[in-house]
Amino acid sequence: MTGRVKDVAAVAGVSISTASRVLRGISVEPELERRVKKAAQHLGYRPNGLAQALRGGRLGVIGLLIPDVRNPWSSDLARAVETVCRQSGLGVILCNSDNRPEQEDACLELLWNRRVDGLLLGSVRGEPPAQLADLVGRRWPVVALDDSCRGPGIDIVICDNHRGASLMAEHLAVHHRYRRIGLIKGPPKLASAEARETAFVTALPSLGARVVAEAAGDFTYEAGRAGMSEILAKRPDVQAVMATNDLMALGAIQACRDNGLKVPDDIAIVGFDDASISTLSGIGLTTVRQDLGDIAAACVTLLEDRIRDPGPARRQVCAVHLQIRSSCGCPTPHAQMKVSS
Amino acid sequence: MTGRVKDVAAVAGVSISTASRVLRGISVEPELERRVKKAAQHLGYRPNGLAQALRGGRLGVIGLLIPDVRNPWSSDLARAVETVCRQSGLGVILCNSDNRPEQEDACLELLWNRRVDGLLLGSVRGEPPAQLADLVGRRWPVVALDDSCRGPGIDIVICDNHRGASLMAEHLAVHHRYRRIGLIKGPPKLASAEARETAFVTALPSLGARVVAEAAGDFTYEAGRAGMSEILAKRPDVQAVMATNDLMALGAIQACRDNGLKVPDDIAIVGFDDASISTLSGIGLTTVRQDLGDIAAACVTLLEDRIRDPGPARRQVCAVHLQIRSSCGCPTPHAQMKVSS
DNA sequence: ATGAAAGCGCTAACAA
DNA sequence: TTGTTAGCGCTTTCAT
């Protein structure tokens, strides 16, 4: 298909193994090295990663399994992961599962067939896919982004959901003195969502506030909208609502507008994630920021560790902090929206 | 690493090639076939795609190069491409270039090193990356999503930008009878954007309207916002504005709000793309719909054709149609927002 | 220090 | 039909 080591060797007039050594940066007589490099350059030689991987090396590609890359948080994650990976010379195969077990299995099959070096699981709710246990058993390196997907050979990276929700509770109850608070929940069986909910609900009472209305949700815009309407119907006197992710918060803001309520004058809405897309609501969304750059870096580091040698499962928690904008009722410093490109 | 053909053969008590044949669905004596299948099942055998590809087959992975997957249109595209590919058993390696030549080159290098079967170029503005010519010269299958990236071995798939813009011009000028119209342009050197602009500007006069103010843009939310402000400052009497993509249209809507203008009561704003994220603006965005499912399917088909045999470059134009919602001033059928998950 | 040769897992041409 | 063998491009002993 293109220049091979053999060709380079032939042009340089050396043996294959000498050429290979030079190409791999192993010490060789200077004169030969020069000739080989020149030959490689001349032929536009590029190593065949497939052959290298087959020989025992690594392919230099990992899989990223998420529900849907169109979801703002997922695309932020995909972007962050790809950036980190590219810096390590790794490629990323993107797989969308729609949270459907059969699609998850199909993706795992695909990735395993290509002997991808490892898997980043940004997806799974509740039970891990059936295939997974088998693959992990075969020493396939896997890092998951939610506690739901725990297992012996699976590292976990998450942001500090508990702390994030607690901070937000404090901000709403102490700083703003809101008393009657609403909560739009995330998908059931998703540990991250549950952690946010529990921490939030638990933290409020000791701060003089409480959750007076809850709505179910599944992290979609529509769910946020519906959940908010439901809460307003149940408790028109609610003063602030936290959605367990930003996309639902945007939906909630829209629902408020639909009901003739102004955010944050009439009601405060806050989210969780600090997804880059949040600015599209036209309002500065107060939220809990998890730095996906950090998270992606942690994931890739753990994955590479595990690629090198198996070891026991680890769990890493990344820091979060409040990202205060205006939707909570705080005054807005002028034009603090972030560019979303 | 895991069961190989050799192992399957050993367990089944047949030769390697017999096992290989069964695994590849080639006719074999029923009894042997049964034994091989049972052995494969028992060992959890999965073919090693690397070895298959090295042997002369295909890896079953393509590259997708886009500027930034966080951009709504890009993530819609990535999703559509991945969906189509999965149905063909293809994996997709995602690469973000940020429109930076050095990143584009790094991505191409990565993809070529892994001997990916082909490349989908959803990115390049103006000059194609330096590497590309070389790789295409080596018969690497490439399909581009913009006319900017023309070349002998490069197929092109685009939506009918000309028709889309003309339809929109007609809708605004004839149906709504707007006379003074604004235009927020796309990135220079991007053929798709230029086609939209030219068609739009050209179509209006014969319909009794004209573009009274233009603003430069680069397809980002911020550009839409800035462009709109600029247009409003220049021509406060503008009746309708088309942005050459949806994200800028959302920015434009925000700018209108910032300036105390209601859309569509005071001014009409329309976009182009029908990105799934548009609903987040809280208003039904009238836009030109390009069906990314169709486009992705066309891309993958062309790519697979070209993988099979080179042939001359082809160019395929996909249909568009008006997606009329409320931002142009048309009455809204109740609750026609699309779920964005 | 350099070259010859084996082998990664697989398929296909050839031989039996 | 089935089995033996060569070889995809590369790295790595092993011998020189």
Side-chain angles (χ1 to χ4, degrees):
Chain A
M1 179 179 281
T2 178
R4 299 147 299 176
V5 182
K6 192 205 288 190
D7 304 322
V8 175
V11 171
V14 298
S15 78
I16 295 184
S17 35
T18 301
S20 174
R21 288 192 184 98
V22 174
L23 265 11
R24 302 207 47 222
I26 295 177
S27 87
V28 174
E29 189 167 317
E31 163 60 11
L32 296 188
E33 173 169 338
R34 203 188 53 73
R35 271 161 42 198
V36 170
K37 285 190 168 166
K38 189 176 153 204
Q41 164 88 31
H42 176 251
L43 293 175
Y45 172 78
R46 296 282 179 285
N48 184 324
L50 267 47
Q52 293 177 311
L54 185 60
R55 182 62 185 77
R58 292 281 150 201
L59 181 57
V61 176
I62 66 164
L64 173 63
L65 185 60
I66 52 181
D68 187 345
V69 72
R70 288 174 301 183
N71 182 304
W73 185 82
S74 295
S75 56
D76 284 358
L77 175 69
R79 180 53 154 102
V81 166
E82 195 267 340
T83 299
V84 174
C85 283
R86 181 147 32 76
Q87 283 157 5
S88 307
L90 289 172
V92 178
I93 294 186
L94 176 71
C95 294
N96 301 99
S97 73
D98 288 323
N99 288 310
R100 301 245 289 281
E102 69 278 15
Q103 280 187 37
E104 286 170 353
D105 278 335
C107 290
L108 291 179
E109 184 82 32
L110 177 83
L111 294 169
W112 171 249
N113 175 266
R114 273 68 168 182
R115 295 303 188 272
V116 156
D117 300 337
L119 174 66
L120 228 59
L121 216 48
S123 157
V124 179
R125 305 174 180 178
E127 294 303 306
Q131 297 260 22
L132 195 60
D134 181 39
L135 297 179
V136 171
R138 294 175 192 236
R139 293 280 160 96
W140 209 34
V142 174
V143 174
L145 278 137
D146 190 89
D147 279 320
S148 317
C149 195
R150 216 148 201 165
I154 304 180
D155 294 327
I156 294 202
V157 175
I158 47 166
C159 72
D160 198 336
N161 291 300
H162 187 90
R163 180 167 163 75
S166 305
L167 287 172
M168 187 59 87
E170 187 185 329
H171 183 70
L172 296 177
V174 178
H175 184 83
H176 285 288
R177 303 212 163 270
Y178 298 131
R179 289 293 165 261
R180 298 175 301 284
I181 297 183
L183 173 65
I184 303 177
K185 301 170 83 167
K189 302 207 175 191
L190 184 65
S192 304
E194 285 169 1
R196 294 170 194 181
E197 291 151 18
T198 308
F200 189 69
V201 172
T202 310
L204 287 176
S206 61
L207 304 170
R210 69 186 190 91
V211 169
V212 295
E214 284 185 5
D218 61 358
F219 276 4
T220 63
Y221 180 82
E222 266 313 321
R225 210 169 160 184
M228 188 69 221
S229 298
E230 187 185 327
I231 288 177
L232 285 175
K234 229 183 295 184
R235 294 290 300 239
D237 62 337
V238 69
Q239 298 169 294
V241 170
M242 172 170 107
T244 45
N245 79 343
D246 283 353
L247 193 51
M248 291 199 300
L250 296 189
I253 289 173
Q254 183 55 37
C256 291
R257 287 190 186 136
D258 294 343
N259 283 277
L261 264 45
K262 282 201 74 174
V263 177
D265 302 340
D266 302 322
I267 187 170
I269 304 287
V270 298
F272 203 114
D273 282 347
D274 200 24
S276 63
I277 212 76
S278 307
T279 54
L280 268 54
S281 71
I283 189 172
L285 183 68
T286 290
T287 188
V288 175
R289 173 170 179 74
Q290 50 171 318
D291 189 316
L292 283 178
D294 293 350
I295 291 182
C299 286
V300 175
T301 303
L302 251 47
L303 207 46
E304 290 193 303
D305 276 10
R306 181 165 289 280
I307 287 168
R308 257 177 252 109
D309 66 320
R314 288 170 298 177
R315 181 165 178 278
Q316 187 160 333
V317 179
C318 294
V320 297
H321 62 85
L322 278 188
Q323 183 65 258
I324 299 194
R325 299 202 181 88
S326 55
S327 72
C328 58
C330 282
T332 332
H334 177 63
Q336 67 173 346
M337 326 225 78
K338 213 168 38 184
V339 178
S340 140
S341 81
Chain B
M1 178 178 278
T2 178
R4 298 148 300 177
V5 181
K6 194 205 287 189
D7 304 322
V8 174
V11 170
V14 299
S15 77
I16 296 184
S17 39
T18 301
S20 174
R21 288 193 185 99
V22 174
L23 265 11
R24 303 204 47 224
I26 295 177
S27 87
V28 174
E29 190 169 315
E31 164 59 12
L32 297 187
E33 173 169 339
R34 202 188 54 74
R35 271 163 40 201
V36 170
K37 285 190 168 166
K38 189 177 155 203
Q41 164 88 31
H42 176 251
L43 293 175
Y45 171 79
R46 296 283 179 283
N48 184 324
L50 268 49
Q52 293 176 311
L54 185 61
R55 182 62 185 77
R58 294 282 149 199
L59 181 57
V61 177
I62 66 164
L64 173 64
L65 186 60
I66 51 181
D68 188 344
V69 71
R70 288 174 299 182
N71 182 303
W73 186 81
S74 294
S75 56
D76 283 359
L77 175 69
R79 180 55 154 103
V81 166
E82 196 267 340
T83 299
V84 174
C85 283
R86 181 149 30 78
Q87 283 157 5
S88 308
L90 289 171
V92 179
I93 294 186
L94 177 71
C95 293
N96 300 100
S97 73
D98 288 324
N99 288 311
R100 300 246 289 283
E102 69 277 15
Q103 281 187 36
E104 285 169 353
D105 279 335
C107 291
L108 291 180
E109 185 81 32
L110 176 82
L111 294 170
W112 171 248
N113 175 267
R114 273 65 170 186
R115 296 302 190 272
V116 155
D117 300 337
L119 174 66
L120 229 60
L121 217 48
S123 158
V124 180
R125 302 174 181 180
E127 294 302 306
Q131 297 259 24
L132 194 61
D134 181 38
L135 296 179
V136 172
R138 294 176 192 235
R139 292 280 160 95
W140 210 34
V142 174
V143 173
L145 279 138
D146 190 271
D147 279 320
S148 318
C149 195
R150 217 148 200 167
I154 304 181
D155 293 328
I156 294 200
V157 176
I158 48 167
C159 72
D160 198 336
N161 291 300
H162 186 90
R163 180 167 163 76
S166 306
L167 286 173
M168 188 59 85
E170 187 185 330
H171 184 69
L172 296 177
V174 177
H175 184 82
H176 286 288
R177 303 212 163 272
Y178 298 131
R179 289 291 166 262
R180 297 175 302 282
I181 296 183
L183 173 65
I184 304 178
K185 302 170 81 167
K189 303 208 172 188
L190 184 65
S192 304
E194 286 169 0
R196 293 171 195 180
E197 292 150 18
T198 308
F200 190 69
V201 173
T202 310
L204 288 177
S206 61
L207 305 171
R210 69 186 189 91
V211 170
V212 295
E214 284 185 5
D218 62 358
F219 275 4
T220 64
Y221 180 82
E222 267 313 323
R225 208 168 161 185
M228 188 68 223
S229 298
E230 188 185 325
I231 289 176
L232 286 176
K234 229 183 297 183
R235 292 291 301 242
D237 62 336
V238 69
Q239 298 169 293
V241 171
M242 171 169 107
T244 45
N245 80 343
D246 283 353
L247 193 52
M248 293 199 298
L250 296 189
I253 289 173
Q254 184 54 37
C256 291
R257 287 192 186 134
D258 295 342
N259 283 278
L261 264 46
K262 283 202 72 172
V263 177
D265 302 341
D266 303 322
I267 186 169
I269 304 287
V270 299
F272 203 114
D273 281 347
D274 199 25
S276 64
I277 213 75
S278 306
T279 53
L280 267 55
S281 71
I283 189 173
L285 183 68
T286 291
T287 187
V288 175
R289 172 170 181 74
Q290 50 171 317
D291 189 316
L292 283 177
D294 293 351
I295 291 183
C299 286
V300 175
T301 303
L302 252 47
L303 207 46
E304 289 194 302
D305 276 12
R306 182 165 289 279
I307 286 168
R308 256 176 253 110
D309 65 319
R314 288 170 298 177
R315 181 166 178 277
Q316 187 160 333
V317 179
C318 294
V320 296
H321 63 85
L322 278 188
Q323 183 65 257
I324 298 194
R325 299 200 182 89
S326 55
S327 72
C328 58
C330 282
T332 332
H334 177 63
Q336 68 175 345
M337 324 225 78
K338 213 169 34 180
V339 177
S340 142
S341 81

